[in-house]
Amino acid sequence: YIPVSQEDVEVPSEKPVTRKEKGVMCTVGADANVVGINMQKEAFQQAGYEVVFVRGMNLPEKVADVVAETNADAVGVSNLLGLGIDLFPRISSRLEQLGLRDKVVLFAGGRIAEKEEDHAAFEEKINTEGPGFLGVDAFYGPGTDVEKTVAEIAKLMDEKKK
């Protein structure tokens, strides 16, 4: 059986790239859950950014290398397995080795730690001290409004250019 619809289906057209900044987005580690990063990708594309999407399950160092190869201004990564505390700093470290850390906005999302109480403690630390201990410029947990992310990352990209 093949499902058939009699309804008119409208496929939205892709929004053209209108901004000069470019972003790379992907999941890191053995995480294949791309729902959140797909939402971010689409929000950035709708805002006029070019986005290089590197599917799921990437090594942190590979992500940084893709940023260098594509001359990206920002990189957004996600991990829902609770390995962010280990994986996100590795991206920052590789960007530093490549001489790009001061030029690229690194933002992350998902879960920082496997255990709920550890994740909650890290989120509290982000709220009081900022996300620097993760090696990122910004962190967005599950349920974050994508428009908020786009606005904040745009501001951070502008600040990095100064």
Side-chain angles (χ1 to χ4, degrees):
Y1 295 102
I2 300 174
V4 177
S5 172
Q6 299 298 321
E7 297 177 29
D8 289 333
V9 177
E10 186 176 325
V11 177
S13 60
E14 285 188 29
K15 182 159 173 134
V17 174
T18 57
R19 305 228 184 177
K20 58 186 174 189
E21 298 89 1
K22 182 189 309 183
V24 170
M25 297 199 187
C26 60
T27 61
V28 290
D31 189 357
N33 187 332
V34 294
V35 173
I37 202 70
N38 272 335
M39 291 172 60
Q40 294 293 337
K41 172 186 70 110
E42 290 173 14
F44 275 86
Q45 287 172 328
Q46 289 302 313
Y49 292 96
E50 178 182 352
V51 177
V52 177
F53 186 61
V54 191
R55 304 281 174 227
M57 302 196 303
N58 297 283
L59 290 172
E61 294 78 13
K62 176 189 171 190
V63 173
D65 290 344
V66 170
V67 170
E69 290 170 18
T70 61
N71 198 27
D73 303 284
V75 56
V77 295
S78 173
N79 182 280
L80 279 175
L81 299 177
L83 301 174
I85 191 69
D86 297 318
L87 297 173
F88 302 152
R90 287 173 51 191
I91 301 165
S92 182
S93 177
R94 179 65 180 147
L95 287 171
E96 186 74 40
Q97 290 173 353
L98 295 169
L100 297 174
R101 187 62 190 97
D102 294 336
K103 301 172 188 168
V104 175
V105 175
L106 172 55
F107 65 103
R111 300 208 26 96
I112 306 167
E114 290 182 69
K115 294 180 180 176
E116 187 61 40
E117 59 272 10
D118 293 342
H119 179 78
F122 285 132
E123 280 193 324
E124 181 59 33
K125 186 172 181 174
I126 289 170
N127 291 335
T128 58
E129 301 174 23
F133 71 96
L134 289 172
V136 300
D137 298 305
F139 178 82
Y140 303 99
T144 302
D145 178 20
V146 292
E147 291 179 9
K148 173 186 174 188
T149 305
V150 171
E152 289 180 3
I153 299 307
K155 184 178 176 187
L156 289 172
M157 283 191 285
D158 287 343
E159 290 172 5
K160 291 264 185 180
K161 291 179 190 172
K162 294 178 182 177

